[in-house]
């Protein structure tokens, strides 16, 4: 990594998708200290984007990607009924408030969607290969979607994207993480640290879908212990609890009305 590339602290002006309420900001004070510890005790360095082979399980998932794609295709039949990301996760409203970023949620920070797992059993089985899995969902960019520069709420997790539906137009579809420009490919993993500034776009006229996962960053002692404690507390934060309630309300409509589709 370029010596001049440094992860910016949460207080340095990058839009932080978690700090949207007094309670969340209080949590972030605790998080800032943990983030400094995580950078110091990373077991795999701190680059914005990681080589896929840093994580052997990523290749295993790539090998089974078509099973995930097959389950996604069944979900996409009802794409118009899927919620916009900000309708489920209020903390992203500062970066997305339209209907062009949709999600199909599987799990997140101690909360599971049993209905979604029943719909996608192979995807769920394959996700169990990921050590420290914290959240998983399908992330759908409609044509024209552009997420502005932002950073994630906490550097104790890394992000894994698996390309599932990716139009072959790299000049129109991509993601920038710090100073690295990346492109998704169907069946290929992309692993990055979303605590770096990043932005993503789909300027094509077709839909782009990835499997979107957060997992625990490999850390050495004592950061590994404090990181687990922080992540275990996440499910008690307002934005996780609010998201859970919003998703349960959506599920009642989707699966209730959807019985006739199955």
């Amino acid at each position: 990594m370029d010596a001049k590339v440094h992860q910016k602290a949460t207080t340095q002006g990058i839009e932080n998708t978690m700090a949207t309420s007094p309670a969340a900001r209080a949590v972030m004070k605790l998080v800032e200290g943990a983030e400094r510890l995580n950078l110091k005790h990373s077991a795999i360095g701190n680059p914005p984007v990681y080589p896929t082979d840093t994580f052997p399980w990523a290749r295993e998932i790539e090998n089974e990607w078509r099973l995930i794609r097959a389950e996604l295709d069944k979900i996409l039949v009802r794409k118009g009924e899927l919620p916009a990301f900000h309708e489920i996760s209020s903390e992203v409203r500062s970066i997305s408030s339209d209907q062009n970023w949709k999600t199909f949620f599987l799990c997140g920070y101690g909360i599971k969607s049993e209905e979604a797992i029943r719909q996608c059993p192979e995807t769920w089985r394959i996700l169990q290969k990921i050590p420290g899995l914290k959240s998983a969902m399908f992330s759908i960019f409609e044509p024209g979607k552009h997420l502005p520069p932002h950073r994630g709420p906490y550097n104790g997790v890394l992000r894994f994207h698996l390309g599932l539906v990716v139009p072959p137009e790299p000049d129109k579809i991509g993601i920038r993480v710090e100073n690295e420009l990346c492109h998704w490919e169907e069946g290929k993993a992309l692993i990055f640290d979303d605590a770096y500034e990043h932005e993503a776009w789909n300027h094509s006229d077709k839909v782009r879908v990835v499997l979107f996962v957060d997992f625990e960053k490999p850390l050495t002692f004592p950061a590994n212990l404090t990181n687990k404690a922080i992540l275990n507390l996440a499910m008690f934060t307002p934005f996780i609890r609010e998201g859970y309630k919003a998703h349960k309300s959506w599920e009642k409509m989707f699966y209730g009305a959807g019985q006739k589709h199955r």
Side-chain angles (χ1 to χ4, degrees):
M1 182 178 68
D2 188 324
K4 295 182 179 179
V5 175
H6 297 290
Q7 205 171 88
K8 297 179 176 67
T10 58
T11 54
Q12 287 185 275
I14 296 176
E15 185 68 61
N16 190 302
T17 58
M18 183 173 172
T20 56
S21 72
R25 286 192 290 271
V27 171
M28 287 308 299
K29 283 296 182 183
L30 178 64
V31 164
E32 286 175 17
E35 287 202 321
R36 289 191 291 271
L37 200 63
N38 294 343
L39 288 170
K40 183 178 179 182
H41 292 278
S42 173
I44 51 173
N46 298 296
V49 180
Y50 287 87
T52 300
D53 288 329
T54 303
F55 306 93
W57 50 262
R59 296 298 187 191
E60 296 180 30
I61 292 175
E62 287 181 338
N63 290 339
E64 296 195 272
W65 83 275
R66 291 188 182 279
L67 294 174
I68 301 173
R69 169 65 187 267
E71 292 181 338
L72 168 68
D73 286 343
K74 294 177 182 178
I75 300 299
L76 291 179
V77 170
R78 300 178 65 190
K79 178 170 67 70
E81 299 172 62
L82 299 180
F85 207 118
H86 73 276
E87 293 172 339
I88 302 299
S89 300
S90 61
E91 77 279 4
V92 306
R93 287 176 187 163
S94 61
I95 59 170
S96 182
S97 58
D98 57 32
Q99 296 296 311
N100 291 333
W101 185 17
K102 295 182 179 295
T103 182
F104 184 79
F105 172 87
L106 290 157
C107 70
Y109 295 91
I111 297 167
K112 295 179 185 177
S113 171
E114 297 296 345
E115 288 281 4
I117 290 168
R118 277 193 285 272
Q119 295 264 310
C120 302
E122 285 298 301
T123 300
W124 186 246
R125 174 187 64 79
I126 293 166
L127 283 168
Q128 305 317 301
K129 297 175 182 287
I130 303 178
L133 173 70
K134 301 309 296 183
S135 67
M137 65 199 76
F138 294 130
S139 173
I140 302 161
F141 272 15
E142 297 281 11
K145 183 59 181 173
H146 192 133
L147 284 184
H150 62 286
R151 66 151 285 172
Y154 179 53
N155 71 1
V157 294
L158 297 177
R159 182 149 298 161
F160 168 86
H161 282 179
L162 178 69
L164 296 174
V165 179
V166 185
E169 300 182 66
D171 58 321
K172 297 180 180 179
I173 304 173
I175 180 170
R176 176 187 63 82
V177 185
E178 192 63 24
N179 57 5
E180 295 193 38
L181 177 61
C182 305
H183 300 284
W184 300 282
E185 296 180 55
E186 292 186 359
K188 298 297 182 182
L190 172 64
I191 303 171
F192 63 97
D193 186 341
D194 86 319
Y196 284 98
E197 181 181 284
H198 58 290
E199 62 180 314
W201 56 90
N202 175 15
H203 295 159
S204 79
D205 60 0
K206 301 180 181 67
V207 170
R208 182 241 62 176
V209 187
V210 300
L211 179 65
F212 175 116
V213 171
D214 283 346
F215 64 96
E216 290 181 30
K217 183 176 183 177
L219 302 167
T220 59
F221 181 84
N224 58 335
L225 299 183
T226 59
N227 189 45
K228 285 184 182 294
I230 291 282
L231 294 174
N232 287 337
L233 286 171
M235 69 179 296
F236 300 107
T237 60
F239 86 99
I240 292 289
R241 298 179 72 84
E242 291 166 10
Y244 173 73
K245 290 178 182 177
H247 189 264
K248 292 302 288 185
S249 295
W250 173 81
E251 278 192 332
K252 288 180 182 178
M253 293 186 294
F254 185 77
Y255 293 108
Q259 294 301 320
K260 62 180 179 291
H261 293 273
R262 299 201 298 270

